[in-house]
């Protein structure tokens, strides 16, 4: 459902240039649960943003559901992202002036699509935010904000969900609940999920694990066995 | 060096009031390395902010180095914080217009204090940011920004360092380096450190672990044995 070929990202030029990604090839099949691991600064967030159409590569191509996004116009790209991509940001990107519930529903409302109330109720119960729906992000703990971001991505059921450290601020019990929720979406309705994580326990929920190092894929393996 | 008595924090009023902290008593002795754990939303960040003088409790008292901060004027409080407290925020709070190096040095420059160049060099090497000093936060990965925040708190050698999830965005190798750095500061020059963490491996560096639950201390134990 997502295919990146020769994806490269360079910042700056000359001696001080930083090659955040050095020509990465990656195909994510429909219904796959992928984990991306690697040292701090190895290019994980950069890769996720480029595959999700949130950033442009310096070289290479990226296709989402068959559509080449590196040559898409701004309008086309916005539409593809809105229809096909859910993103759980490393630092949440919630809108501070909206409540948790409004943040949850925002992508669907922007896309003019109806809200599946049963799925929404199931999500709210699973992420444990029932009594926080009317609070704004500033009134929520770090982990609560992260859970709103997770719910927001899952509610739209996009072609692919990218998560950048979706459990980085969560205790082990809540981390497990979030990963089970993502696993449940993959198993019950074929959601495709790709998460960056530093947590081996979170990675153990995935079907496939990729290890980045210095902007390149160092290893590509099936399920981690504990 | 820090003593909180009956520390309570209530948001809102009436039926919808949230008791983030319910009368917490906590003394942190000089040279102690304390870890604070507990479920998402249990009050950890709230407790840290109040003990550090960054937030006011609804009830109770807090003393830093013998100074009662709940009754201090704004000016006095700013001075106490600047002289005595270092804080590693859950979401870093770096200044976007300053480079990594400028962010590192900012608290010392604001306090008009000289920079210990040897300690600064040692820190930069330990947190692995040597080739990123002239980048601004937006040009740094999540983990790199977190390491700048860690370095900034350690550079000032304050009476106490509070860390809110200081390794939440770091891979295991870098997490270990950060915790070793904090441990090194405690062991070699008696730095007092209190960190909130969800990571049992990070907590294993501490001398004492406190578990919060629903705004109260549920357990208070010596070093975690693995
Ligand atoms: N301004 C506010 N209004 C209402 N409730 C608030 C406000 N700020 C914080 N809270 C609530 O206080 C509780 C404690 O929050 P706190 O940020 O201290 O939790 P935490 O233990 O740090 O959680 P996490 O592990 O998720 O970071 C949470 O339930 C949160 O929703
Ligand atoms: N605008 C920029 N200018 C220069 N270098 C940049 C810029 N943005 C990112 N980088 C560099 O690109 C590299 C990859 O960054 P990225 O955020 O993808 O890492 P990451 O694997 O997500 O790290 P972490 O685990 O710390 O979140 C880092 O070394 C970072 O310093
Ligand atoms: Mg990152
Ligand atoms: Mg917190």
């Amino acid at each position: 459902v997502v295919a990146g070929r020769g994806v490269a990202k360079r910042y700056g030029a000359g001696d001080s240039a930083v090659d955040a990604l050095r020509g990465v090839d990656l195909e994510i099949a429909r219904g796959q649960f992928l984990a991306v691991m690697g040292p701090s600064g190895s290019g994980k967030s950069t890769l996720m943003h480029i595959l999700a159409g949130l950033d442009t590569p310096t070289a290479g191509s990226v296709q989402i559901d068959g559509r080449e996004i590196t040559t898409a116009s701004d309008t086309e790209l916005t539409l593809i992202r809105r229809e096909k991509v859910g993103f759980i940001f490393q630092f949440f990107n919630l809108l501070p002036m909206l409540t948790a519930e409004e943040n949850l529903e925002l992508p669907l409302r922007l896309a003019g699509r109806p809200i599946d109330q049963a799925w929404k109720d199931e999500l709210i119960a699973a992420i444990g935010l029932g009594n926080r729906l009317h609070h704004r992000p500033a009134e929520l703990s770090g982990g609560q904000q992260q859970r709103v971001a997770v719910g927001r991505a899952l509610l739209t059921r996009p072609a692919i969900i990218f998560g950048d450290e979706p459990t980085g601020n969560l205790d082990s019990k809540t981390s497990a609940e979030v990963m089970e929720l993502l696993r449940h979406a993959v198993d019950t309705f074929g959601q495709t999920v790709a998460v960056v994580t530093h947590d081996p326990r979170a990675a153990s929920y995935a079907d496939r694990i990729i290890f980045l190092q210095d902007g390149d894929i160092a290893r590509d393996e099936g399920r981690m066995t504990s």
Side-chain angles (χ1 to χ4, degrees), chain A:
Chain A
V1 65
V2 170
R5 287 189 188 83
V7 177
K9 184 72 178 181
R10 166 171 291 193
Y11 293 106
D15 287 349
S16 66
V18 174
D19 284 318
L21 292 174
R22 301 169 190 276
V24 169
D25 298 323
L26 178 62
E27 279 188 40
I28 306 174
R30 194 168 307 281
Q32 189 168 64
F33 195 160
L34 169 74
V36 178
M37 305 186 78
S40 175
S42 55
K44 306 180 297 296
S45 295
T46 304
L47 179 62
M48 288 281 119
H49 279 72
I50 288 173
L51 293 179
L54 291 166
D55 192 9
T56 48
T58 321
S61 81
V62 179
Q63 292 187 0
I64 297 178
D65 253 6
R67 301 279 309 275
E68 177 58 47
I69 64 172
T70 53
T71 52
S73 69
D74 274 354
T75 329
E76 288 172 318
L77 191 52
T78 304
L79 234 70
I80 294 168
R81 272 203 314 259
R82 215 174 62 181
E83 293 304 314
K84 297 185 179 302
V85 180
F87 207 106
I88 307 164
F89 292 89
Q90 192 166 5
F91 304 109
F92 322 152
N93 289 38
L94 301 179
L95 295 187
M97 72 294 289
L98 300 184
T99 65
E101 185 166 22
E102 289 165 342
N103 267 291
L104 259 185
E105 298 185 350
L106 188 65
L108 281 177
R109 296 198 179 281
L110 285 179
R113 284 166 48 199
I115 293 172
D116 179 339
Q117 195 59 41
W119 180 222
K120 181 186 162 193
D121 291 343
E122 188 176 345
L123 277 177
I124 286 169
I127 54 183
L129 280 175
N131 58 358
R132 286 283 177 276
L133 288 179
H134 308 299
H135 285 96
R136 287 186 304 279
E139 299 166 326
L140 299 175
S141 77
Q144 289 163 344
Q145 292 178 48
Q146 189 153 45
R147 283 181 267 156
V148 174
V150 169
R152 177 176 68 178
L154 278 159
L155 187 60
T156 45
R157 289 197 195 181
I160 179 158
I161 289 179
F162 290 100
D164 198 348
E165 317 273 3
T167 63
N169 285 285
L170 302 176
D171 57 85
S172 49
K173 174 164 169 293
T174 323
S175 288
E177 282 160 5
V178 163
M179 297 311 292
E180 273 161 25
L181 191 50
L182 291 168
R183 185 74 246 176
H184 171 71
V186 171
D187 294 339
T188 53
F189 52 87
Q191 178 71 62
T192 309
V193 175
V195 292
V196 166
T197 183
H198 285 306
D199 182 359
R201 284 162 308 175
S204 68
Y205 286 81
D207 303 315
R208 174 187 177 203
I209 305 185
I210 281 173
F211 294 83
L212 280 192
Q213 191 152 354
D214 286 320
D216 237 328
I217 295 182
R219 275 158 65 198
D220 190 340
E221 305 182 351
R223 174 164 278 175
M224 199 193 255
T225 48
S226 55

